[in-house]
Amino acid sequence: MQVSYIGMQTQEVAIKPTMKVTMKSDAEMLDEVMVVAYGTAKKSQFTGSASTIKADKIAERQVSNISNALSGQVAGVQTTSGNGQPGTGSTVRIRGVGSLSASNNPLYVVDGVPYDGDISAINSQDIESLTVLKDAASNALYGARGANGVILVTTKKGATGKATVNLDAKWGTNRRGVSNYDVMTSPQEYVENYYTAMLNGYAGGDPNRVLSNGMTGNQYINSLLFSKDGLGYPVYTVPNGEGYIGVDGKLNPNAKLGRVYGDYYITPDDWEKELLDNGNLRQEYNVNISGSTEKMNYYMSAGYLDDSGLIPGSSFSRLSFRLKADYQVKEWLKVGANVAYSNIVSRYPDEQTTSGSSTNLFYITNNIAPIYPLYIRNADGSIKKDARGFTMYDYGNGMYTDGTTALNRPFLSQSNPASALQLDKNEYNMDILSGRAFVEVSIIEGLKATANWGMDLDNTRYTELINPYYGQYAGNTGGVVGVSHSRVFSINQQYLLTYKKNFGDHNIDLLAGFESYDYKNQALSGSKQKVYNPNIVELNNAINTPSANSSTANYATAGFLFRAQYDYLEKYFASASFRRDASSRFHPDNRWGNFWSVGLGWLMNKESFLQNTSWIDMLKFKISYGAQGNDNIGNYYAYLDQYTVSNSNNDFALALSYKGNKDITWETSHSFNTGFDFEFFKGRLSGTVEYFSRKTTDMLYNKPMNASAGYASIPMNVGSMTNKGVELDLNGLLIETNDLTWRMNFNLTHFKNTINELDPSLNGEMISGSYIYREGESRYQFYLRKYAGVDENGVAQYYKDITDAEGNVTGQEKTTDAPNATRYATGDILPKVYGGFGTSLNAYGFDFSISFAYQLGGRMYDNGYASLMNSGTDPGQNWHKDILKAWTADNKGSNIPRLSATDQYANYLSDRFLTKSDYLSINSITLGYTLPKSWVRSLNISSLRVYMSADNVALFSKRKGFDPRQSYTTASADVYSPIRAISGGLSLSF
């Protein structure tokens, strides 16, 4: 009798009255099939480096952009995001950054064809897997666009059997995922400390000191405190003849918060509480139908997502459809198509990531002192309405007057983002169509010809109306209306020939083909001023200063490709690939580049010396090397001089706008990868450990030029840079019984970046603002002044080199004159290690999962904290509560400079604000329960699951408000906060 089970070796046993059959795992049957470049491969036979995220992991994340689901999931992949606006994605870097000026973004490939649509248009519920290709052996076949790694998106298809209908619905809410810094929220605390800053700055810190004007220090500072030279707004009422602050530095106990000023009442508001929308709804609905027959496989889906933002006028909604099918027309002919359409409406308030912008709600709410009103109020305290019925917001520009004196707010006067968010209109409306089709012809046994076509069309209309009533475009300008339209269209064609053949113990797999890519980006925009109707966002709704612009950009690549794969006894593997690519970005003389890879693999567990090692299921050694190209320097005609045309006395005037370089050519990355894939203990432990090195030569670089050259920069091929490191990826099956399954996963990456060579004219060093680039050192290091604590008076000090007559450094001294202090390289600021981990538990119908991401050992400049640690030179700017630990005569051990309204260098740009970038984030938590089938069978439902899900749950970092996930180098309080989404939902199948 034969006994078989999926994933187990078939056992042949004699029939007996009582039998016990022990099944053994079949590692070959369990061998995972991976999606790779231009096809699939068994993981045990793959010589490159790739990681796969399955649909269940993607489904755990509530994301409107799938790039946000990569955080912490894959070794070697690092994501950053400085914008929490719904629909925006993460910046994805695979194994470091390989270029100075060219793009470092990976290539997205959807169902075998490169993708040019907006990533946010892809419904995550349609995705079967994401595969990240990380080395040359895995992605060299993608040529021009694969140098920074490739992310393969494979959409779902029908499972074998009858049609299945799946429904999923979830409802929830969005909240701020990262809170503000620990700033002062008490008006009294802020006013008392600002009094101290003014007293130290203008009266030597002595409230009883008699000044030249005959007033004591306390009297003088009280007279300045709420004046135009101070905080501007007298938000406290005190009895006649009394000061706001006593000689002890404390608020007058008779002071009352709030003040009637003429016909107005002035009282502070909590700007964040008033403006951040805490009553929003996140809702998502998805349905799909799938199935297959002997000849046909089909999948169709529809989805709707309404993802509300944190602030008024911010949201992302998507209506998506997908239809995918393939059909075996004849035994020798197979055809298929995959069409997806999404309509996206993104309400996207302007400048919510622009530092210092008057319309950036996050900047103002994070930085404004807790003494200022958000609203204009009548004398009775009621909020004023204007003649049009609009709520009146305080712009800080003289709106309050007592008949003689108008009050002005010193912090961002003439601005209030609340009014702009209520009255301005910003909206993107996108129609994104993506189509894939293929024809596969079996010519003879083992020989197939395949044609793949891909088309992506992105039509985006952007409309903007800036209201005519309040803000910088009110008054004579009368508001502004702008309309723009962009059309991005691309066609990708692949013509492939594959041949597979077994010759006894020898197996070959050959691929040859041609691929072409044509891309066109067209844009048209116009604007006018003086708006008639504030609700109509059309150009004909305004009458003054018309302006119009248009542009077209074309780009094309073409390439011939070849790959050969060989194995002997399914134990020894070899692969080689070659691609010759041409890019229209380069001059015809430099247009073609050759890219290639070679790889070897050894399935060691099949050797006789390991066959009896029962705990080793699979052990593979792999090694690969190859070269890939990058042409993306940001300009589609980088070899040509480009000009702008303008009117000069009714004649043409040309001005050079871009200096081309006909000698520019491919940037090339040379990638080496080696490591082990393994599976131990009957599948209980599996993973990968790898070492990689990626050296980029002939780096594409926009070299700055002197003004005398007549142009700011010129594109060149300059120097080289290396990223090298190690990756570890582990997956553990801790418990597996009929009723309980417990899994854990962990990954880490360590890499080091080194600049090998710069342009010879730089003599091994280049300084760009606050950054320094040196040969032999990391690209990621600051060039900053070095903080030296405080002097005996509490004034900030910085180190300065002492030099001899020849300029040689002979020592160091301290100075309070920060601009003249010496700048020093800070050393590598990149994290030493980053990655993620998580666990999932399934027991008795319940399922629970949690995932984390982490980073250790790096540093970032905390710009948000630095601005909040000013010494009082910026009246109306809030303080971090750490300012309460500043140097005073009673606290001389502090290294935080004293409060002083005249100490302009207290928070000067220096290494004082370099902060550990370590963090731990809880990316997602999911808890669900699947009802027993016996409960739902009578309803013709095959599965019903209810669940709760939380995304972007928590962040733990050096200090509250500090988010190291914003970038590699800096973090600030000026960006749209990440969103925490909490939802409940149900999934059912029938």
Side-chain angles (χ1 to χ4, degrees):
M1 179 179 69
Q2 285 190 341
V3 181
S4 62
Y5 188 77
I6 295 174
M8 300 294 179
Q9 295 178 2
T10 299
Q11 304 290 315
E12 187 169 332
V13 296
I15 299 175
K16 298 178 181 179
T18 302
M19 301 174 60
K20 179 180 180 181
V21 180
T22 301
M23 307 296 290
K24 296 180 180 180
S25 172
D26 189 331
E28 292 184 7
M29 292 181 66
L30 292 173
D31 198 2
E32 180 183 351
V33 176
M34 304 170 56
V35 178
V36 296
Y38 300 95
T40 60
K42 289 183 178 181
K43 185 173 183 179
S44 65
Q45 300 177 359
F46 185 58
T47 61
S49 179
S51 297
T52 299
I53 307 173
K54 295 294 185 64
D56 57 342
K57 286 294 182 183
I58 300 170
E60 291 174 1
R61 301 300 305 272
Q62 297 182 76
V63 293
S64 51
N65 189 303
I66 60 171
S67 64
N68 297 324
L70 294 170
S71 174
Q73 293 293 318
V74 176
V77 174
Q78 192 171 21
T79 64
T80 58
S81 178
N83 189 355
Q85 161 73 26
T88 57
S90 295
T91 298
V92 179
R93 297 290 178 259
I94 299 175
R95 290 184 167 177
V97 172
S99 184
L100 289 176
S101 296
S103 171
N104 289 287
N105 294 325
L107 170 69
Y108 286 86
V109 175
V110 177
D111 290 325
V113 179
Y115 178 73
D116 279 316
D118 195 300
I119 296 298
S120 65
I122 302 176
N123 187 342
S124 61
Q125 295 283 326
D126 286 340
I127 297 175
E128 181 64 32
S129 67
L130 296 174
T131 302
V132 182
L133 308 182
K134 297 182 279 189
D135 72 331
S138 61
N139 57 36
L141 278 182
Y142 287 108
R145 291 177 285 169
N148 297 306
V150 178
I151 298 176
L152 305 179
V153 181
T154 303
T155 59
K156 293 178 180 177
K157 62 180 182 179
T160 303
K162 63 180 182 179
T164 301
V165 180
N166 297 300
L167 296 171
D168 182 85
K170 59 173 71 80
W171 305 267
T173 185
N174 290 333
R175 293 288 188 271
R176 184 170 182 167
V178 177
S179 61
N180 191 13
Y181 289 82
D182 190 15
V183 296
M184 292 184 182
T185 57
S186 164
Q188 176 178 341
E189 186 175 53
Y190 181 82
V191 169
E192 289 175 350
N193 279 275
Y194 192 73
Y195 166 87
T196 300
M198 297 189 77
L199 187 71
N200 289 337
Y202 301 122
D206 185 356
N208 297 310
R209 177 182 176 183
V210 178
L211 306 178
S212 59
N213 59 13
M215 302 173 71
T216 66
N218 174 260
Q219 291 171 334
Y220 181 56
I221 301 306
N222 269 285
S223 70
L224 291 178
L225 189 60
F226 292 111
S227 71
K228 63 181 180 63
D229 297 317
L231 298 175
Y233 280 28
V235 293
Y236 282 98
T237 301
V238 294
N240 289 334
E242 296 186 18
Y244 297 103
I245 306 293
V247 293
D248 61 353
K250 300 299 181 183
L251 185 69
N252 184 340
N254 295 321
K256 294 182 179 179
L257 188 62
R259 177 167 178 170
V260 174
Y261 193 81
D263 295 330
Y264 304 94
Y265 181 69
I266 305 173
T267 189
D269 287 302
D270 185 334
W271 288 49
E272 180 177 347
K273 182 179 179 180
E274 293 292 323
L275 292 179
L276 262 65
D277 187 358
N278 291 316
N280 52 37
L281 172 68
R282 187 188 195 278
Q283 53 185 328
E284 184 174 4
Y285 310 94
N286 288 283
V287 58
N288 66 67
I289 303 172
S290 63
S292 67
T293 65
E294 184 179 344
K295 289 190 173 184
M296 184 176 185
N297 185 295
Y298 59 91
Y299 174 88
M300 61 187 76
S301 71
Y304 175 72
L305 169 66
D306 182 11
D307 200 2
S308 300
L310 299 175
I311 60 178
S314 169
S315 65
F316 175 89
S317 66
R318 179 184 63 216
L319 182 64
S320 62
F321 302 92
R322 182 176 296 274
L323 177 60
K324 180 179 183 180
D326 58 67
Y327 185 65
Q328 192 75 44
V329 182
K330 300 287 185 181
E331 186 177 345
W332 52 271
L333 177 63
K334 187 176 183 179
V335 298
N338 182 358
V339 180
Y341 167 77
S342 292
N343 173 254
I344 294 174
V345 178
S346 176
R347 298 173 64 214
Y348 198 143
D350 198 21
E351 297 191 344
Q352 296 307 303
T353 59
T354 304
S355 180
S357 170
S358 61
T359 59
N360 185 336
L361 183 148
F362 291 93
Y363 172 70
I364 292 184
T365 58
N366 290 340
N367 286 276
I368 195 167
I371 63 169
Y372 294 108
L374 174 66
Y375 305 101
I376 299 284
R377 288 180 169 85
N378 297 305
D380 62 2
S382 61
I383 296 173
K384 287 182 71 70
K385 303 280 187 179
D386 66 12
R388 306 171 193 86
F390 297 140
T391 297
M392 295 187 66
Y393 293 95
D394 177 14
Y395 271 75
N397 60 344
M399 301 176 82
Y400 298 117
T401 179
D402 62 356
T404 57
T405 304
L407 305 180
N408 286 279
R409 185 179 68 224
F411 181 76
L412 285 181
S413 181
Q414 302 187 42
S415 63
N416 191 312
S419 182
L421 291 171
Q422 294 289 344
L423 300 178
D424 294 354
K425 304 179 189 303
N426 304 81
E427 184 176 284
Y428 291 88
N429 199 311
M430 295 175 263
D431 292 301
I432 300 172
L433 180 65
S434 180
R436 304 287 185 265
F438 74 88
V439 174
E440 182 181 281
V441 179
S442 297
I443 302 172
I444 59 174
E445 183 180 354
L447 182 64
K448 286 184 180 180
T450 304
N452 293 316
W453 300 277
M455 178 278 296
D456 293 308
L457 175 63
D458 184 339
N459 278 314
T460 298
R461 175 183 170 90
Y462 174 67
T463 55
E464 177 183 32
L465 188 147
I466 303 176
N467 80 88
Y469 308 121
Y470 300 101
Q472 59 180 321
Y473 293 104
N476 292 332
T477 303
V480 178
V481 62
V483 178
S484 64
H485 180 269
S486 68
R487 183 182 188 270
V488 177
F489 180 72
S490 66
I491 290 287
N492 203 103
Q493 302 178 71
Q494 299 171 357
Y495 301 98
L496 310 173
L497 196 64
T498 60
Y499 181 68
K500 295 182 181 181
K501 183 69 174 176
N502 299 331
F503 299 95
D505 295 330
H506 304 272
N507 303 293
I508 61 170
D509 184 345
L510 304 178
L511 167 70
F514 171 79
E515 182 172 21
S516 68
Y517 170 72
D518 294 279
Y519 171 92
K520 177 177 282 190
N521 188 334
Q522 297 172 290
L524 175 65
S525 63
S527 67
K528 282 185 177 180
Q529 297 179 0
K530 201 170 183 61
V531 175
Y532 175 69
N533 186 325
N535 297 310
I536 299 177
V537 192
E538 298 292 348
L539 295 178
N540 287 346
N541 185 39
I543 57 175
N544 286 347
T545 324
S547 173
N549 296 279
S550 69
S551 64
T552 297
N554 291 286
Y555 169 60
T557 65
F560 299 92
L561 56 99
F562 173 79
R563 179 179 65 200
Q565 298 181 118
Y566 166 80
D567 77 75
Y568 174 63
L569 294 173
E570 294 189 340
K571 183 194 304 185
Y572 308 107
F573 307 95
S575 66
S577 66
F578 175 81
R579 177 156 177 155
R580 180 165 173 78
D581 244 358
S583 169
S584 64
R585 293 181 191 266
F586 304 135
H587 187 275
D589 293 344
N590 302 305
R591 189 155 287 177
W592 288 91
N594 299 319
F595 311 106
W596 53 272
S597 74
V598 292
L600 296 173
W602 176 24
L603 206 55
M604 300 171 63
N605 59 289
K606 290 195 172 184
E607 295 290 352
S608 58
F609 60 83
L610 287 179
Q611 281 187 341
N612 294 325
T613 308
S614 60
W615 58 274
I616 298 179
D617 305 323
M618 188 272 286
L619 180 62
K620 182 186 67 179
F621 171 74
K622 58 186 179 183
I623 186 169
S624 65
Y625 185 75
Q628 302 159 271
N630 188 359
D631 66 343
N632 192 356
I633 196 170
N635 190 291
Y636 292 110
Y637 311 98
Y639 67 97
L640 294 174
D641 292 344
Q642 295 158 46
Y643 299 85
T644 57
V645 181
S646 59
N647 187 332
S648 177
N649 296 322
N650 206 32
D651 200 357
F652 297 106
L654 298 180
L656 183 68
S657 61
Y658 182 89
K659 179 61 178 176
N661 180 0
K662 74 179 185 64
D663 296 323
I664 195 171
T665 188
W666 294 93
E667 175 182 282
T668 304
S669 292
H670 303 267
S671 297
F672 172 77
N673 187 83
T674 187
F676 293 88
D677 295 336
F678 55 85
E679 185 174 315
F680 301 148
F681 310 113
K682 309 299 182 186
R684 295 283 181 168
L685 177 64
S686 62
T688 299
V689 58
E690 294 179 344
Y691 168 82
F692 64 88
S693 176
R694 176 185 171 200
K695 182 179 181 181
T696 306
T697 59
D698 295 328
M699 288 189 295
L700 292 170
Y701 174 60
N702 290 309
K703 182 181 178 180
M705 303 296 291
N706 292 326
S708 59
Y711 46 90
S713 65
I714 184 171
M716 299 182 70
N717 293 100
V718 173
S720 69
M721 182 164 56
T722 299
N723 293 278
K724 59 177 62 175
V726 294
E727 296 173 359
L728 175 66
D729 200 336
L730 296 174
N731 296 281
L733 177 58
L734 305 183
I735 298 174
E736 186 176 40
T737 69
N738 291 334
D739 299 314
L740 176 64
T741 302
W742 182 18
R743 301 179 184 272
M744 293 192 71
N745 63 278
F746 172 82
N747 70 77
L748 67 80
T749 303
H750 162 75
F751 82 95
K752 185 173 179 61
N753 173 276
T754 305
I755 296 174
N756 304 311
E757 182 185 359
L758 292 170
D759 185 74
S761 66
L762 297 173
N763 296 317
E765 180 178 288
M766 179 178 71
I767 297 170
S768 178
S770 298
Y771 300 91
I772 186 168
Y773 305 95
R774 284 177 175 166
E775 293 179 353
E777 299 181 11
S778 172
R779 171 192 170 174
Y780 290 95
Q781 61 174 328
F782 285 107
Y783 193 51
L784 301 174
R785 290 160 182 86
K786 191 173 182 180
Y787 184 61
V790 299
D791 66 9
E792 66 277 7
N793 297 313
V795 180
Q797 300 181 108
Y798 304 87
Y799 287 105
K800 181 181 180 181
D801 285 345
I802 301 172
T803 57
D804 58 21
E806 286 75 34
N808 300 312
V809 177
T810 60
Q812 273 187 334
E813 62 182 352
K814 298 177 181 179
T815 178
T816 58
D817 185 14
N820 288 319
T822 304
R823 292 201 290 172
Y824 303 92
T826 61
D828 189 8
I829 64 171
L830 287 173
K832 298 297 185 291
V833 64
Y834 64 86
F837 59 95
T839 187
S840 63
L841 185 68
N842 295 73
Y844 303 99
F846 289 94
D847 61 270
F848 170 79
S849 66
I850 184 169
S851 66
F852 300 83
Y854 67 90
Q855 177 175 286
L856 297 169
R859 294 172 294 165
M860 295 180 70
Y861 189 84
D862 191 349
N863 196 53
Y865 181 69
S867 65
L868 294 167
M869 292 298 287
N870 68 89
S871 65
T873 53
D874 300 312
Q877 163 104 37
N878 207 350
W879 274 305
H880 194 282
K881 287 186 177 179
D882 282 353
I883 208 71
L884 300 175
K885 305 171 187 175
W887 184 97
T888 66
D890 298 324
N891 186 29
K892 293 186 177 181
S894 174
N895 72 340
I896 298 175
R898 68 181 185 181
L899 288 173
S900 174
T902 58
D903 287 357
Q904 57 181 319
Y905 302 135
N907 62 337
Y908 206 74
L909 186 65
S910 73
D911 66 352
R912 174 187 168 196
F913 299 107
L914 273 185
T915 304
K916 287 184 178 180
S917 61
D918 303 354
Y919 76 82
L920 174 67
S921 66
I922 304 177
N923 287 347
S924 66
I925 300 175
T926 302
L927 176 63
Y929 178 68
T930 302
L931 276 65
K933 292 183 182 297
S934 60
W935 294 10
V936 297
R937 189 177 297 119
S938 61
L939 301 175
N940 290 322
I941 295 175
S942 58
S943 176
L944 176 59
R945 176 176 176 260
V946 293
Y947 61 90
M948 294 289 294
S949 181
D951 199 77
N952 206 2
V953 181
L955 172 69
F956 306 95
S957 62
K958 174 66 175 179
R959 60 176 61 95
K960 177 186 174 185
F962 173 56
D963 188 356
R965 301 170 301 178
Q966 288 183 15
S967 75
Y968 282 116
T969 55
T970 62
S972 77
D974 307 346
V975 300
Y976 197 123
S977 170
I979 290 177
R980 177 186 300 118
I982 302 175
S983 299
L986 60 88
S987 298
L988 61 90
S989 301
F990 53 86

